[in-house]
Coordinates of all heavy atoms in Angstrom, one line a residue:
D15 N 120.1 38.0 44.2 CA 120.9 38.9 43.4 C 120.7 40.4 43.8 O 120.3 41.2 43.1 CB 120.4 38.8 41.9 CG 121.4 39.4 41.0 OD1 122.6 39.4 41.3 OD2 121.0 39.8 39.9
V62 N 127.1 39.9 53.9 CA 127.8 40.4 52.7 C 128.6 39.3 52.1 O 129.5 38.7 52.8 CB 128.7 41.6 53.1 CG1 129.5 42.1 51.8 CG2 127.9 42.7 53.7
A101 N 133.4 56.9 64.0 CA 132.2 56.6 63.2 C 131.3 55.5 63.8 O 130.1 55.5 63.9 CB 132.5 56.4 61.7
D165 N 132.3 67.2 74.5 CA 131.4 68.0 75.3 C 130.5 68.9 74.5 O 131.0 69.5 73.5 CB 132.3 68.9 76.2 CG 131.4 69.8 77.1 OD1 130.9 69.3 78.2 OD2 131.3 71.0 76.8
L184 N 121.4 82.7 57.3 CA 122.0 82.7 58.7 C 121.1 83.6 59.6 O 121.2 83.4 60.9 CB 123.4 83.2 58.6 CG 124.4 82.1 58.0 CD1 125.7 82.7 57.9 CD2 124.4 80.8 58.8
V185 N 120.5 84.6 59.1 CA 119.6 85.4 60.0 C 118.4 84.6 60.4 O 118.1 84.7 61.6 CB 119.1 86.6 59.1 CG1 118.1 87.4 60.0 CG2 120.3 87.5 58.7
L194 N 122.5 77.2 68.4 CA 123.3 76.6 67.2 C 124.2 77.7 66.6 O 125.4 77.4 66.3 CB 122.3 76.2 66.1 CG 122.9 75.8 64.8 CD1 123.8 74.7 64.9 CD2 121.8 75.5 63.8
I198 N 128.2 77.7 66.1 CA 128.9 77.9 64.8 C 130.0 79.0 65.0 O 131.1 78.8 64.4 CB 127.9 78.5 63.8 CG1 126.8 77.3 63.4 CG2 128.6 78.9 62.5 CD1 125.7 77.8 62.6
R200 N 131.6 79.7 67.8 CA 132.7 79.1 68.5 C 133.6 78.2 67.6 O 134.8 78.2 67.7 CB 132.2 78.3 69.7 CG 131.6 79.1 70.8 CD 131.4 78.3 72.1 NE 130.5 77.2 71.9 CZ 129.2 77.3 72.3 NH1 128.7 78.5 72.7 NH2 128.4 76.3 72.1
F216 N 134.5 81.1 50.5 CA 134.3 81.5 49.1 C 135.1 82.8 48.8 O 136.3 82.8 48.4 CB 132.9 81.7 48.7 CG 132.6 81.8 47.2 CD1 133.4 81.0 46.3 CD2 131.7 82.6 46.7 CE1 133.2 81.2 44.9 CE2 131.5 82.8 45.3 CZ 132.2 82.1 44.4
S252 N 146.9 92.0 57.2 CA 147.1 91.0 56.2 C 147.9 89.8 56.7 O 147.9 88.8 56.2 CB 147.8 91.6 55.0 OG 147.0 92.5 54.4
A292 N 137.8 90.8 40.3 CA 136.4 91.1 40.8 C 136.5 92.3 41.7 O 135.9 92.4 42.8 CB 135.8 89.9 41.6
E299 N 131.7 95.1 48.7 CA 131.5 94.1 49.8 C 132.4 94.4 51.0 O 131.9 94.3 52.2 CB 131.6 92.7 49.3 CG 130.6 92.3 48.3 CD 130.7 90.9 47.8 OE1 131.7 90.2 48.1 OE2 129.8 90.4 47.0
R312 N 131.5 99.7 67.9 CA 130.7 100.6 68.7 C 130.1 99.9 69.9 O 130.1 100.5 71.0 CB 129.6 101.2 67.8 CG 128.7 102.1 68.5 CD 127.5 102.5 67.6 NE 127.9 103.3 66.4 CZ 127.1 103.4 65.4 NH1 126.0 102.9 65.3 NH2 127.6 104.2 64.4
N329 N 133.5 103.6 51.1 CA 134.5 103.4 50.0 C 133.7 102.9 48.7 O 134.3 103.0 47.6 CB 135.5 102.4 50.3 CG 136.6 102.9 51.2 OD1 136.8 104.1 51.3 ND2 137.5 102.1 51.8
S349 N 141.8 105.6 35.9 CA 140.9 105.6 34.8 C 139.9 104.5 34.8 O 140.1 103.4 35.5 CB 141.6 105.6 33.5 OG 142.3 104.4 33.3
L384 N 123.6 105.8 48.8 CA 123.5 105.3 47.4 C 122.6 106.2 46.6 O 122.9 106.6 45.4 CB 123.1 103.9 47.4 CG 123.1 103.2 46.0 CD1 124.5 103.2 45.3 CD2 122.6 101.8 46.1
G392 N 114.1 110.7 41.5 CA 113.5 110.2 40.3 C 114.5 109.5 39.4 O 114.1 108.5 38.7
A396 N 114.2 105.6 38.2 CA 114.3 105.3 36.8 C 115.3 104.2 36.6 O 115.1 103.3 35.8 CB 114.6 106.5 36.0
Y436 N 112.0 101.2 48.7 CA 111.5 101.8 50.0 C 112.2 103.1 50.3 O 111.5 104.0 50.9 CB 111.9 100.8 51.1 CG 110.9 99.6 51.3 CD1 110.9 98.6 50.4 CD2 110.0 99.7 52.4 CE1 110.0 97.5 50.7 CE2 109.1 98.6 52.6 CZ 109.2 97.5 51.7 OH 108.3 96.5 52.0
G459 N 108.1 74.7 36.8 CA 108.0 73.4 36.2 C 106.6 72.7 36.4 O 105.9 73.1 37.2
A493 N 120.4 94.5 63.6 CA 119.4 93.6 64.2 C 118.0 94.2 64.0 O 117.3 94.6 64.9 CB 119.6 93.4 65.7
E494 N 117.6 94.3 62.7 CA 116.3 94.8 62.3 C 115.8 94.2 61.0 O 116.7 93.6 60.3 CB 116.3 96.3 62.3 CG 117.3 96.8 61.2 CD 117.4 98.3 61.1 OE1 116.8 99.0 62.1 OE2 118.0 98.8 60.2
L525 N 101.6 97.8 50.4 CA 101.7 98.1 51.8 C 101.0 99.5 52.1 O 101.3 100.5 51.4 CB 103.2 98.2 52.1 CG 103.6 98.4 53.5 CD1 103.2 97.1 54.3 CD2 105.1 98.5 53.7
G537 N 108.5 104.3 60.3 CA 109.2 103.9 59.1 C 108.9 102.5 58.8 O 107.8 102.0 59.1

Side-chain angles (χ1 to χ4, degrees):
D15 198 29
V62 176
D165 179 82
L184 289 175
V185 175
L194 170 63
I198 294 169
R200 288 197 295 267
F216 192 39
S252 295
E299 290 178 357
R312 177 190 293 165
N329 281 347
S349 62
L384 180 63
Y436 276 77
E494 62 181 11
L525 189 63

